[in-house]
Amino acid sequence: MKLTEKQIEQVDRQVKRLIASGSYYGEVYKKAGVTGITSQEDFEKIPFSDKNDLRNSYPLGIMACDETEIVRIHSSSGTTGTPVIIPYTAKDVDDWAVMFARCYETAGITNKDRIQITPGYGLWTAGIGFQAGCEKLGAMAVPMGPGNTEKQLKMMIDLETTVLTATSSYALLLAEEIQKRGLKDQIKLKKGVFGSERWSDTMRKRIHEELGIELYDIYGLTEIYGPGIGITCEHNDGIHYWDDYVYIEIIDPVTGEPVPDGEEGEIVITTLVKEGAPLLRFRTHDLSRIIPGTCKCGSKYPRIDVIKGRSDDMFKVRGVNMFPSQVEELLKKIPGTSSEYSITIAHDDDNNKDVMLLTVEGDGKYDFNEMSKAIHDLFKSLIGMTPKVIVVPIGTLPRSEKKTKRVIDYRNL
Ligand code: ZN
C-alpha cells in the first residue's frame, strides 16, 4: 500500500522535525543525507529504525521536542539488557486514547459497557492504554491489573463486567477457573479484547466456548504508542489499523525490500503525527500481510492479517527451521489436542545431536499414546524432523498471567 499525498506531507514534516530537534534520528538522517521526502521513492530511502537504536539512545536520545512538552514516559524491557524509553507529549497521550477508543467502538463496545482491565499498569503501556481508551469512550473502567484471580472473579460477578481485556494466556486461565468453579451462570461477560501475544485458533475457540464471548484481537507495541493502533472487527477478517496515525508497510525480513500487498512479511510502522518520539520505518519483527480490498464491515480503515508470529521466534533443530505457528497448525489436525503445548530443546552431548521434546495437552477423549504417535508421524511428514512427543492431561502445563513461553531452548544457556 502506497503513501497518500497527505501521508507524504506528514512524513516530510516528521523528518524535518527530527533533524531540527537534534535528536538521535535527526543525526542519523543528516548523516544519510535525508532532509525530507516528496515521493514514495524518497520514503523508501529513509533508513529503517529498530529497537537497537532505542537502546543506543537510552534514556531520552530519541526525544524530538522540548523536555517541558513531555508529560509521561513508557518503557519496554524486552528480553535483553537495556530497557527502551519512549517519551509522550500531551497530544501523543490523547491521540493514543482516541485510537484506543476507536478500537473499543470497532469491537461494538459502548459507554454502557463495564470494562475489566487485567493487563499491568506502570512503565509498560498495557493497562493505562486500555484505561485511557475506556475513559475516552465513556465506559466504566474496572482497573484491576494482573493477578489475584480470586478478586478478578469477585469483581467480574459483583460489578457485572461486560468486557474482559487481557492477554490471551490470562483469559484462558480465567476461563478455566470460571469453568472449574461453576461460575459461568453468574458471569455477564459479552466480549473479550485480547492482545500482546499471538494466539492459535484452538486457543481462540476454547476461550470463546468456555466464556461464551466474542473475541477481538488488538494490536500495538510500546514503541508505537502501545496497544490500540488496530483491532479486528466483528467479521474477524484481519486487523483494521488507523492510517491517520500510522503508515504500515510489509517488507521481506531478509532483503528489506517491500513486498506486494497480500504477501507475507515483516510489519514496518511509521508514526505520522507523533511528537515526543516519532519513529519512521520501525521494524517490528511481527509477521503479517496487508489484506487487499474492503472489509465486509465497510470500514474505510485498511487491514493487516492477524499476527502470524515474530521473525525472531524461529527456532532451528537439526537443520530444520520452524515457527511456533507451524506447530500449532499441525496440532490442529490431531483430534483431542487442547490449545496448550510446550517445546523443549536441548543438546544431547553423548550422541552429539539436538533433541526436541514436544509436550501437548490432550482432552482425555482419545488415547494419549495413539495421539503422540499421530503427532510424531505428522511432524515427520509435514516438517521433516521427529521430536519426542508426550501427551499429558489438560491443566498439566503451567498457565501464565502474562505471555506464555512456548519454546524453551537449553542449547545456548
Ligand atoms: Zn471490518
Side-chain angles (χ1 to χ4, degrees), residues 176-187:
E176 288 180 338
E177 278 305 312
I178 288 165
Q179 200 205 29
K180 228 185 277 172
R181 299 175 193 209
L183 297 174
K184 201 173 164 187
D185 293 348
Q186 298 174 57
I187 301 289

Side-chain angles (χ1 to χ4, degrees), residues 362-399:
D363 64 11
K365 291 182 191 139
Y366 296 84
D367 182 79
F368 285 0
N369 287 328
E370 280 169 25
M371 280 175 69
S372 13
K373 184 162 182 331
I375 295 167
H376 181 274
D377 293 350
L378 198 58
F379 232 93
K380 191 171 185 180
S381 70
L382 291 183
I383 298 186
M385 62 85 62
T386 46
K388 184 169 170 51
V389 181
I390 302 179
V391 180
V392 296
I394 282 194
T396 305
L397 290 169
R399 298 296 190 257

Side-chain angles (χ1 to χ4, degrees), residues 69-72 74 86-90 92-93 96 125 222 225:
E69 290 177 57
I70 300 298
V71 300
R72 187 201 286 175
H74 280 292
I86 309 290
Y88 295 64
T89 65
D92 293 338
V93 166
W96 182 23
T125 46
T222 300
Y225 297 99

Side-chain angles (χ1 to χ4, degrees), residues 106 232-238 240 295-299 303:
T106 304
T232 51
C233 69
E234 79 268 25
H235 294 285
N236 194 23
D237 187 15
H240 289 283
C295 181
K296 273 184 247 134
C297 72
S299 164
R303 287 171 299 161

